[in-house]
Amino acid sequence: MHTMSAKKNRRPKHKGSGTIFKNPILEQLTKTHIAIPLTLYTIISSCLIYYGIIEKGFTTPVMILLFFAGMFVFTLVEYLMHRYLYHPQTEKMEEFSHKVHGVHHDYPKDKKRLAMPPILALILASFFFIIYRAMMGDYVFGFLAGFLMGYTGYLAIHYSVHIFKVPGNFLKILWHHHAIHHYRQPDRAFGVSSPLWDYIFGTMPELLEDKKKQQAKAGEFIDPS
Ligand SMILES: [Zn+2]
Ligand SMILES: [Zn+2]
């Protein structure tokens, strides 16, 4: 059985805040105003682009291409991390994932817990810098700038989806997709910035109709509601 089942039964609370650490200083460090990471990563990304063009001599079209490649790869990393790191299938990983992500499922509207602490994100970004640099050399500057802006975009979308009302335009699909992940099917709809990778890897939400058909096939009682 999927280990999320325990969490599935826990009702998300729309007021208050979860506890990650008992130590009040550590606990405080896990709370971030959303404007801080958004500003910080935009500045770092701009510096990377500046450095790539001025110091490394890349042309603007090449930088734009690298930027969008980085952004695209970020959406895949976002999907894989959410699916396998934050919703793991093993008991061992469960404790860790509850600390970093379960608390968001328990308190989805806690504004200060909608971004990981910037210090942690900077350590992760340095780690990605080292890996990408080894893989692609100086192309890393444009690529990581896009990757970081992908993350910034993801943060802005995730924040908006939880805090702001559903918009009346095409963006509403993002609101619905993430609401399904939180309130109906936590083992589906892992993509936040887009449903693309859910579509590719077959984790799109199950439609109610399909679910009923499946249950009927399995001979289960169908709730008429
Ligand atoms: Zn989740
Ligand atoms: Zn969420």
Side-chain angles (χ1 to χ4, degrees), residues 7-79:
K7 253 178 228 159
K8 228 181 261 178
N9 300 330
R10 247 187 354 233
R11 290 184 124 217
K13 293 170 269 291
H14 285 172
K15 288 243 151 55
S17 172
T19 308
I20 294 180
F21 292 111
K22 286 200 181 97
N23 180 310
I25 298 168
L26 281 179
E27 178 71 356
Q28 207 47 46
L29 285 175
T30 65
K31 299 183 179 178
T32 312
H33 190 291
I34 194 70
I36 295 169
L38 296 187
T39 317
L40 189 64
Y41 310 142
T42 306
I43 292 171
I44 295 173
S45 185
S46 311
C47 292
L48 287 168
I49 293 169
Y50 178 86
Y51 196 83
I53 292 175
I54 304 299
E55 294 292 323
K56 297 288 173 182
F58 284 108
T59 60
T60 308
V62 172
M63 280 307 261
I64 291 173
L65 216 69
L66 287 168
F67 185 89
F68 281 107
M71 216 170 202
F72 183 68
V73 169
F74 171 80
T75 64
L76 175 61
V77 172
E78 172 210 317
Y79 174 87

Side-chain angles (χ1 to χ4, degrees), residues 6-212:
K7 253 178 228 159
K8 228 181 261 178
N9 300 330
R10 247 187 354 233
R11 290 184 124 217
K13 293 170 269 291
H14 285 172
K15 288 243 151 55
S17 172
T19 308
I20 294 180
F21 292 111
K22 286 200 181 97
N23 180 310
I25 298 168
L26 281 179
E27 178 71 356
Q28 207 47 46
L29 285 175
T30 65
K31 299 183 179 178
T32 312
H33 190 291
I34 194 70
I36 295 169
L38 296 187
T39 317
L40 189 64
Y41 310 142
T42 306
I43 292 171
I44 295 173
S45 185
S46 311
C47 292
L48 287 168
I49 293 169
Y50 178 86
Y51 196 83
I53 292 175
I54 304 299
E55 294 292 323
K56 297 288 173 182
F58 284 108
T59 60
T60 308
V62 172
M63 280 307 261
I64 291 173
L65 216 69
L66 287 168
F67 185 89
F68 281 107
M71 216 170 202
F72 183 68
V73 169
F74 171 80
T75 64
L76 175 61
V77 172
E78 172 210 317
Y79 174 87
L80 294 175
M81 279 184 71
H82 189 190
R83 180 170 176 186
Y84 294 107
L85 202 67
Y86 291 174
H87 292 272
Q89 306 279 346
T90 62
E91 293 286 341
K92 255 189 176 172
M93 286 280 293
E94 178 76 354
E95 201 189 331
F96 162 79
S97 74
H98 177 71
K99 275 218 190 309
V100 299
H101 191 63
V103 75
H104 168 56
H105 274 267
D106 289 347
Y107 297 90
K109 288 181 187 288
D110 182 358
K111 280 187 185 180
K112 294 204 156 180
R113 289 259 175 73
L114 290 171
M116 76 166 81
I119 189 81
L120 212 70
L122 290 178
I123 294 169
L124 262 176
S126 317
F127 173 74
F128 278 117
F129 180 83
I130 293 166
I131 293 182
Y132 293 146
R133 176 118 213 214
M135 282 167 68
M136 60 183 81
D138 284 346
Y139 290 124
V140 72
F141 295 103
F143 187 85
L144 191 66
F147 191 85
L148 268 180
M149 283 322 283
Y151 178 55
T152 309
Y154 154 82
L155 287 179
I157 291 170
H158 191 221
Y159 185 90
S160 306
V161 161
H162 280 293
I163 304 301
F164 303 135
K165 273 196 195 140
V166 187
N169 54 36
F170 69 99
L171 285 171
K172 67 173 175 242
I173 186 198
L174 297 176
W175 266 251
H176 293 154
H177 197 67
H178 198 56
I180 290 171
H181 173 71
H182 271 279
Y183 303 109
R184 298 251 180 274
Q185 302 171 35
D187 49 356
R188 288 179 177 271
F190 295 105
V192 174
S193 54
S194 89
L196 174 70
W197 298 105
D198 283 305
Y199 188 75
I200 291 175
F201 292 122
T203 51
M204 282 298 274
E206 279 175 330
L207 297 172
L208 211 60
E209 283 307 303
D210 295 347
K211 235 183 181 171
K212 280 185 181 168

